[in-house]
Amino acid sequence: MILELDCPLNLIDVLGHFNKGLWGSTDIHGSILAKNFDLLTAQNKEWDIDIQEITLYLSDTNIIIKNIYKNSIPEQFNTIITEVAKQYVSITKGLTEQPEEIFIPVFEDNLGNSHTMDLNEKSPTPSSYKEYWGIYMESEVDGLIFDVQDNKFIAANLDYHLFDENN
């Protein structure tokens, strides 16, 4: 299943409401998305249901989150939004430019000497959502790769290859 949510708020408002527990909030039993996903799967036991992608269409930014293993989106959604909030200053280039699109995650293929990964050798984990993101800015012709751990943009090509968990 693919979810698309049209939200008439901008990114900073969504992150602010999320941090205050007013949007996509959590409680001691987990996220609203995870709880509702669990309810959906419990009521449809004969089907193998999963969220392949969730897109948040905000008034100033689109956030696209891809599934990287079974149930990764409902399981990791709050963690991902929390990380976007932590990286806000960096992904807006010091608050000077709003990203048009944030694509989470992207996987490195051949980013340089010490940043080489063969997708057949390493399986995605929850931490994969906090490694590399694709960022599209109006000022850039091509997408940029954002290194989440080092809080910086890195020079590399952003080519999309769909991750197939059956590899």
Side-chain angles (χ1 to χ4, degrees):
M1 142 179 25
I2 295 174
L3 297 177
E4 295 181 345
L5 303 172
D6 193 1
C7 185
L9 298 171
N10 60 33
L11 179 59
I12 192 70
D13 289 338
V14 166
L15 297 175
H17 290 304
F18 178 82
N19 286 335
K20 292 176 187 172
L22 302 173
W23 187 92
S25 63
T26 63
D27 62 24
I28 60 172
H29 303 293
S31 75
I32 291 173
L33 178 63
K35 285 193 291 188
N36 285 307
F37 181 76
D38 290 344
L39 179 64
L40 179 66
T41 56
Q43 293 177 352
N44 295 282
K45 292 180 182 178
E46 67 278 2
W47 300 96
D48 185 21
I49 298 173
D50 201 356
I51 301 171
Q52 295 302 312
E53 178 180 298
I54 186 168
T55 301
L56 305 175
Y57 295 107
L58 307 179
S59 62
D60 61 353
T61 305
N62 299 328
I63 302 173
I64 298 100
I65 303 169
K66 296 295 252 178
N67 176 306
I68 58 173
Y69 58 84
K70 186 159 180 57
N71 300 331
S72 66
I73 292 176
E75 177 187 299
Q76 296 297 316
F77 184 77
N78 282 3
T79 302
I80 294 165
I81 298 300
T82 299
E83 191 64 35
V84 171
K86 287 179 187 176
Q87 301 297 335
Y88 184 76
V89 171
S90 296
I91 63 175
T92 59
K93 296 184 174 183
L95 304 177
T96 63
E97 187 173 5
Q98 189 68 30
E100 290 182 335
E101 185 170 275
I102 305 168
F103 193 89
I104 304 171
V106 296
F107 291 95
E108 56 186 321
D109 185 24
N110 190 6
L111 299 179
N113 304 352
S114 62
H115 294 303
T116 303
M117 179 181 91
D118 182 352
L119 288 177
N120 294 324
E121 292 178 15
K122 181 179 175 188
S123 297
T125 65
S127 66
S128 298
Y129 283 118
K130 294 183 189 180
E131 292 175 359
Y132 299 101
W133 299 344
I135 308 276
Y136 288 89
M137 303 282 208
E138 185 177 331
S139 66
E140 302 287 335
V141 174
D142 296 319
L144 303 169
I145 295 176
F146 182 72
D147 182 333
V148 179
Q149 296 302 307
D150 291 332
N151 303 72
K152 65 179 183 179
F153 290 95
I154 57 176
N157 268 343
L158 186 58
D159 293 327
Y160 287 107
H161 299 283
L162 294 178
F163 179 76
D164 181 5
E165 66 183 44
N166 298 321
N167 275 347

